[in-house]
Amino acid sequence: MNRLPRFLATALALGTAAALVTGCSDEGAPLSFDTPTSDTSTTQQAKDPGKGTGKDGAGKSTGSGPETVLPTGPKASFTTANTLEDGTKIGVTTLAGAKSGFTGKVWVWAPKQYFDPKYAKSGFPVLMALPGGNGYPMNYWMGTDLKLQSRISTWSQEGKSLPFIVVMPVLNPDDKFYYDGSDIPGQPKMGTWLTEDVPEFVQANFRTFASRDGWAFMGSSSGAFAGLKAVLQRPDRFKAVIASGPDTVPDSPLWAGHEAQRQANNPEKLAKALGAKPDTEKNRVYLAFQIGTEESGMGTLKTFMKNYTKGPVKTRLQVIQGGGHNAKGYVRGMGDGSIAWISKQMQGPIPSS
């Protein structure tokens, strides 16, 4: 797939990031995600009542129970970016990535269940949401018009989705190039930013799970590529992805002169290598693909699935009827099946009583 036309389609479908931001009366006000357990820097075993069904509060049976990681610090300073209809807020902060050396904005939303006392000692699953287009200086999932967070809130109450913490980092370091969510030699280390710095920031500020069962990506277009590549490259850290209208090969012009490194970040190569490994729980990844009937790339995506759905690489395709290359359609597709599929594979929060 050629990414430039896909970027233009995304930009036209979504408009500017500013158009997606719904103002709120407390925009810019200090925001805290602290709960009564937030000051304890430790890990603990959450009680696990049984095998999960993808419903709110249900968790996968793991013997002694999933390991909850309480916030490790240092604590970030958040300000309010948006407020949802249910009163929950999207916060924003600036993160200086210790490992990547890149500094950028990260937006975060926590569902109502996160603040419920019965889950005060439990971790929550994390969904890293990546935008299409340049993904800089904004991540359009932080706006309220696309209703990603509102839908997750509703779906979790209906039993379709786990109540994910949604984390929305900037995807690229500028608006000039695509960096393929990778550490391209001589360029900002955006792969390290997405797979190490941002997750460590989340662990510093939120109750999460130590296991990969609590970590997933979702994204559209170029963000779908980055999320897909991250899961295939780091199956020890991430278990699932919802990849909507994705590219399946790295095509940034910045790879010129670095073919070996480009191939090391190629989802086709990564999927082939992972698919040859034993089909064990430790190796399994879940790739939920989405594509609209009104966008290009259906054939390429089906070929990828045919070639690489092997061994521990599990895939699912959500065809969005009448859908184009746009984020609103992709959210609709999530509700039609993709979010439920990955939720069944992941760890949900465990009530203490």
Side-chain angles (χ1 to χ4, degrees):
M1 300 180 189
N2 186 310
R3 192 172 299 174
L4 180 59
R6 296 175 75 77
F7 158 64
L8 292 175
T10 302
L12 290 171
L14 294 172
T16 64
L20 293 170
V21 179
T22 301
C24 55
S25 60
D26 56 353
E27 183 178 341
L31 176 64
S32 174
F33 291 98
D34 288 350
T35 63
T37 60
S38 293
D39 293 331
T40 304
S41 298
T42 186
T43 61
Q44 62 187 31
Q45 297 294 320
K47 292 177 64 178
D48 189 347
K51 185 174 179 61
T53 62
K55 295 183 179 180
D56 169 27
K60 191 175 300 178
S61 181
T62 57
S64 62
E67 184 180 43
T68 289
V69 181
L70 299 181
T72 60
K75 187 183 299 184
S77 297
F78 293 95
T79 57
T80 302
N82 275 306
T83 300
L84 275 63
E85 295 91 338
D86 66 359
T88 56
K89 298 179 185 296
I90 298 171
V92 62
T93 191
T94 299
L95 171 64
K99 293 184 177 179
S100 67
F102 172 71
T103 296
K105 287 186 176 181
V106 182
W107 291 263
V108 183
W109 173 80
K112 272 194 170 182
Q113 292 93 327
Y114 186 82
F115 305 97
D116 188 329
K118 72 180 179 181
Y119 297 117
K121 296 181 180 180
S122 176
F124 273 70
V126 176
L127 188 64
M128 302 262 290
L130 305 180
N134 287 319
Y136 177 91
M138 305 290 281
N139 179 322
Y140 56 59
W141 295 115
M142 58 75 64
T144 57
D145 285 11
L146 297 175
K147 298 188 180 299
L148 173 63
Q149 297 83 1
S150 295
R151 294 291 183 262
I152 289 176
S153 179
T154 299
W155 295 331
S156 69
Q157 295 170 17
E158 295 173 347
K160 292 182 179 179
S161 171
L162 294 176
F164 290 98
I165 296 170
V166 181
V167 181
M168 301 152 277
V170 293
L171 179 61
N172 290 305
D174 56 50
D175 59 3
K176 297 178 181 179
F177 299 104
Y178 290 99
Y179 292 73
D180 283 341
S182 303
D183 291 356
I184 300 176
Q187 304 297 332
K189 296 181 177 180
M190 302 314 293
T192 299
W193 162 258
L194 292 174
T195 63
E196 296 191 43
D197 286 335
V198 175
E200 288 179 8
F201 151 79
V202 178
Q203 289 179 319
N205 290 276
F206 295 87
R207 301 190 310 278
T208 58
F209 290 116
S211 166
R212 72 191 193 105
D213 287 352
W215 294 84
F217 277 91
M218 63 82 65
S220 53
S221 194
S222 55
F225 170 88
L228 171 65
K229 194 265 296 187
V231 171
L232 290 169
Q233 199 169 49
R234 293 294 307 273
D236 61 315
R237 190 69 181 84
F238 307 100
K239 192 173 188 180
V241 61
I242 299 175
S244 304
D247 297 304
T248 57
V249 294
D251 60 2
S252 171
L254 298 173
W255 287 114
H258 306 289
E259 184 59 19
Q261 293 90 337
R262 187 179 81 88
Q263 292 301 331
N265 288 273
N266 186 342
E268 294 182 351
K269 302 290 186 182
L270 295 166
K272 182 178 180 179
L274 182 57
K277 293 184 177 182
D279 186 7
T280 62
E281 176 60 31
K282 179 181 178 181
N283 291 332
R284 286 180 197 130
V285 295
Y286 296 85
L287 315 179
F289 292 108
Q290 299 196 138
I291 194 163
T293 57
E294 302 303 313
E295 64 176 310
S296 63
M298 182 80 74
T300 299
L301 192 52
K302 288 184 175 181
T303 297
F304 181 95
M305 295 176 67
K306 179 181 178 181
N307 290 342
Y308 304 115
T309 304
K310 298 178 181 179
V313 179
K314 313 299 181 183
T315 64
R316 180 184 186 277
L317 178 61
Q318 183 72 47
V319 176
I320 304 165
Q321 296 300 320
H325 194 67
N326 63 77
K328 285 189 176 182
Y330 296 147
V331 173
R332 175 161 59 90
M334 290 173 66
D336 288 342
S338 298
I339 195 72
W341 189 66
I342 72 161
S343 290
K344 290 178 181 178
Q345 321 305 330
M346 299 184 67
Q347 177 65 57
I350 309 301
S352 57
S353 59

